[in-house]
Every structure is written in structure tokens, then in C-alpha cells.
Amino acid sequence: MIYNIKTGTFEPIYDALDSRQLPPDCYVVTPEQVNLISASVTGGGAVWAEDGVIQCSDSSPSAYHVFDLKTKKWVISPAKQTAFFAEQKDSLIAQLANKTDALKAGLLVGYSQTEIDSFYRQEKEALAWQADHNAETPMLKQIALLRGVPFEILVQKVIEKSEMFAMVIGAIIGQRQQLEDRILTATKPEELETIKNEVETWQLPNLS
């Protein structure tokens, strides 16, 4: 393909045509360059020639950036910097919320939805029976009967599991809130980048 830097258009290249016969402001470009040039043009960037070679900026990092042809860098005006920084914070908070949900989902891998829905009732019956052996425990009695596990042992396992879940969920919530507090109080892009890396590498806590 040929790219006309003056008109901003692409044209087919013909076998008989070589770089010495190109019209003014035209350059032969590879398929990879075509994609980069297209991204630059449609993404608010710039395309220019430097030492006879076509160059391009690629697409803008955000709606707030403009490309400075003198420095060949994307820049943000001071007036737009505040709005861009606020948008970055909102995006990172949303990413943090998604990661929190993913960690919780990972904690429940292997359990059916029916079991998950029963956790609260199982815990409620187990705690009630622990406090009063005359308490009604229809769900746990059926589970113990069909599973072939002594009722007292099942109660203890349910309580242990609920306490473990509570500890892990508490750790997840506490970590999410700590990270969100740091996002909200951040004053520099470097701080957000550090927090973003922490969010991406965040794993379930090991409380064993």
C-alpha cells in the first residue's frame, strides 16, 4: 500500500512502481504500518515523516490526551489532568470491585448453588443446636442422616466451615476497603499504578 501523508489516504501499490517513482508526500507502508497509521488517524493521533520514513503516534491513551508533534509525545493539559485522574480512580475502583467478586467466587469453587444457598441455614441451625440441644434442626438432621455422619460431628464441621468462611471473607473485605481508601486518597499517577499492580496480583488469603 501507499500512504499519502498530505491527504491522509491509502492507495494500492503497483508492481511497476518503486519508491523512486512515488508521488510527492507518498510512502510505501507495510500491513503492520497500515494498522498503526489507521489507529493513529482514527484515535486522535498524528502521522508524520521523519528522515524519509513514515512515523505515527498510535491511538490516544485517553480522551484527554493530545499528541505534541514537537516532542512526539502524548500530553495532557493541566486543565484536563484533574478530570483524567478522577476517571483513572473510578476505573481502578471498578477493577477492584471485580477482583473482589472473583476472589469470593474462587472461594466457592466446587460447591453447587444449592449448597451455597443453604450455608446460612446450616450455620443458623448449627449455632442454635450448639446453644440449645432442643433447637429445631431439620436441614442438618436430613444431611447427617443421608450422608451417614453423626449429627454432633456435622454440627461441628458446619460451625468450623462457617468460621473459616467468615475469616476469609472478612480478610477480602478488609483488603478491598484498604485498597479503595488508598485509591481515593492518591494524589499521583504513580500511586495508582502501584495500587493497580497490587489489585492484579491480589490472591485469596491463607488463613490455615
Side-chain angles (χ1 to χ4, degrees), residues 18-55:
D18 63 32
S19 58
R20 292 168 297 179
Q21 300 172 309
L22 290 177
D25 302 312
C26 289
Y27 298 83
V28 176
V29 292
T30 65
E32 292 75 15
Q33 287 177 308
V34 169
N35 292 333
L36 288 173
I37 292 170
S38 298
S40 301
V41 173
T42 59
V47 180
W48 68 98
E50 190 172 305
D51 298 327
V53 179
I54 199 81
Q55 304 284 347

Side-chain angles (χ1 to χ4, degrees), residues 74-86:
W74 289 102
V75 296
I76 306 178
S77 67
K80 294 182 178 181
Q81 182 64 54
T82 300
F84 178 57
F85 194 57

Side-chain angles (χ1 to χ4, degrees), residues 102-176:
L103 289 173
K104 178 187 175 184
L107 184 63
L108 298 173
V109 169
Y111 292 98
S112 68
Q113 188 60 49
T114 300
E115 288 178 284
I116 294 172
D117 293 341
S118 75
F119 284 169
Y120 174 74
R121 178 60 183 262
Q122 289 188 47
E123 179 186 19
K124 182 179 179 181
E125 290 188 7
L127 292 174
W129 187 86
Q130 187 180 57
D132 179 6
H133 285 11
N134 294 316
E136 294 293 328
T137 56
M139 179 179 286
L140 291 184
K141 285 179 179 177
Q142 283 297 311
I143 293 174
L145 176 64
L146 296 175
R147 186 175 175 181
V149 176
F151 180 78
E152 294 81 0
I153 293 178
L154 178 63
V155 168
Q156 186 59 36
K157 286 184 177 293
V158 168
I159 292 174
E160 289 175 355
K161 185 175 291 185
S162 66
E163 289 176 347
M164 183 274 290
F165 275 133
M167 291 171 63
V168 176
I169 292 297
I172 291 173
I173 292 173
Q175 182 68 9
R176 185 201 67 78

